[in-house]
Amino acid sequence: MRDTETPPLSAPSGRKGPDSPDLSEGWGEQRGRLRKDLRRLDVLFFLICTLVGLDTIGSVAAQGPQGLTWMAILALAFFLPYGLLVAELGSAFPVQGGPYVWTRLAFGRLTAGLNQILYWISNPVWVGGSLCIIALTTWEEFFTPLPGVWKYAAGLVFIWGGALAVVQAVRFGKWVPIAGAVARIVLLGFFLVSVVVFAFEHGVHALPAGEFTPTYAGFIALVPVLIFNYVGFELPSSAAEEMTNPRRDIPLSILRSGLASIVLYGGPILGILFVLPGKEIGSLGGFIDACKAVFTVYGGHIAADGTVTLSGAGSVFGGIAAAGLIIGLLTSGVTWAMGAHRAQAVACADGVGPAWLGKIDEKRGTPARVNLLSAALASALFVLALNLTEGDGEKYFAAGLGLTISTTFISYVITFPSLLVLRRKYPDTARPYAVPGGRLGAWVVTTLATGLVAFTVVVLIWPGFGVGWFGTEGNAADSLPPSFAGQRLAYTLSQVLPLALFLVIGLVFYALGTKTRRAKG
């Protein structure tokens, strides 16, 4: 029943069923350089750092109270099925490379290779795009302006600082997601405490019950960022052979981190809605502006026109919070990179990319070459985007975030159905955790997860898809990011052209892996 184009790949654990795939070819040479330094608590912090995104909190809050309603709906319709799906795949096939290996076993090298390019390249797009611009905006809001060349210098420091963290050995590198998770918990917890203090002193904005009513237009606007903040469960599986017990730790960490992320993500959104008037919440600066407003309770004031000035302890706490936010943004990119880069290295070692990119550094046990290439790409994208948008932060943010999400989600459209295919191809593989409900349960979770990410890709490429159809209210043009108002063609090209380029890169990588594939026979 095995795909003849997919030579078997082998889980090192030894705990396999009689029909388990052998995953030794292509990766075996590099396996001995890995270090088993990831324990259960490390994986939990890794996932919290991955799931709790600080760059999209403002985007959700900008849509008003219905954002919380859609957040709850999608927690059941997407987050839960997606978590169940990844828990089975990650525990049944605990092999370095995670998502690449699953799609490779299910659909063959070519499909998996192209899919992996999209999954990997979304990270430099994200780091050089929305993460970088929010970090720079935060710095300018709380510290000092970055005129001219200083903005480029600061962005490159952010990108290469992250690259330096990613390239470190796991026993050192794992402290980055741990620090990121702690920074999130402290920052978001302190923000919520400050909101309570602010509410006692100044009151809060009323949130009428009617504003929580979900609408289709709101769904179209929110589904990309909400689902984007619900993904990342598969990342630890990319480092499965660096875990002490992946079969046990992956499912358990998914459950715990999923519950934590809903609390850590939903609380700040509610806090922003209480503090800022709806019309003043921006996608880029919503969370930043809310922090400044609530910290006036420690020192500072809000002028009649809404301008916030911090002083004394308020200024100190504002600076600390800004540093925490920047650390949170940086560690988001680093944590995703730690997973996506490892998967790309496995893919290259397996013959769907340049063999030299598949090498694991003997001293550090990490894919140093992929890490450095990713940092170079992020730097180039950062400089290019900043010039194309003429320094317009909102436009840069909207285009970069949209491209990051669509690129990642197209890869998920291929990865998620692997669950059904691998159940058929390897029915006797030991599955420490399996999606409840047998075949029907597997079909339900796969359909929900795959269908929602596929729909999200359509919505991102064509904002407003379906708005005004079948009696729904609204105008499709209003769904464009505000920074692209009246510029649908420009926005669509900012998404489609890079996606086409990424697929070409995938084909080039596949061609460059020909020698490796032939050597394996």
Side-chain angles (χ1 to χ4, degrees), residues 110 114 351-354 504-518:
L110 177 58
L114 293 176
V352 294
V504 171
I505 292 174
L507 292 172
V508 171
F509 267 45
Y510 190 77
L512 293 173
T514 301
K515 183 177 179 180
T516 303
R517 294 195 302 277
R518 286 176 177 170

Side-chain angles (χ1 to χ4, degrees), residues 142-287:
F142 285 92
F143 299 114
T144 181
L146 296 168
V149 69
W150 289 105
K151 181 165 289 188
Y152 291 92
L156 293 176
V157 167
F158 180 86
I159 292 168
W160 285 94
L164 180 63
V166 176
V167 80
Q168 299 304 313
V170 172
R171 67 179 182 274
F172 301 119
K174 70 181 183 181
W175 289 100
V176 175
I178 290 174
V182 172
R184 282 161 172 75
I185 294 169
V186 173
L187 172 62
L188 299 178
F190 183 64
F191 172 72
L192 290 177
V193 169
S194 301
V195 168
V196 173
V197 177
F198 184 91
F200 277 112
E201 290 193 8
H202 304 287
V204 294
H205 295 281
L207 301 178
E211 294 185 8
F212 285 89
T213 303
T215 65
Y216 180 74
F219 174 69
I220 291 296
L222 286 163
V223 66
V225 289
L226 282 176
I227 292 185
F228 185 59
N229 277 283
Y230 279 155
V231 298
F233 279 144
E234 74 286 346
L235 281 168
S237 293
S238 295
E241 293 176 33
E242 295 168 81
M243 296 182 196
T244 55
N245 193 339
R247 291 180 180 270
R248 177 199 63 190
D249 294 344
I250 287 175
L252 189 58
S253 297
I254 285 176
L255 172 63
R256 292 176 174 176
S257 63
L259 295 174
S261 64
I262 291 176
V263 174
L264 289 172
Y265 190 53
I269 293 173
L270 185 61
I272 293 173
L273 295 173
F274 277 138
V275 172
L276 296 180
K279 63 181 180 180
E280 295 182 10
I281 301 175
S283 297
L284 172 58
F287 183 56

Side-chain angles (χ1 to χ4, degrees), residues 40 46 77 80 86 89 109 123 236 266 281 297 337 357 423 462-463 500:
R40 182 186 299 179
F46 190 102
L80 178 59
V86 173
L89 288 172
R109 275 198 181 106
N123 182 258
I281 301 175
V297 299
L357 275 179
R423 275 198 174 190
W462 192 264

Side-chain angles (χ1 to χ4, degrees), residues 11-18 20 91-92 94 244-248 429-432:
S13 65
R15 288 177 287 180
K16 303 180 291 180
S20 290
S91 59
T244 55
N245 193 339
R247 291 180 180 270
R248 177 199 63 190
T429 294
R431 286 172 167 78

Side-chain angles (χ1 to χ4, degrees), residues 80-127:
L80 178 59
Y82 161 61
L84 296 175
L85 182 152
V86 173
E88 175 171 330
L89 288 172
S91 59
F93 303 96
V95 185
Q96 195 81 357
Y100 167 74
V101 173
W102 307 335
T103 53
R104 195 258 220 206
L105 291 173
F107 305 114
R109 275 198 181 106
L110 177 58
T111 299
L114 293 176
N115 195 55
Q116 176 56 40
I117 282 290
L118 294 177
Y119 188 71
W120 160 62
I121 212 165
S122 65
N123 182 258
V125 170
W126 189 36
V127 172

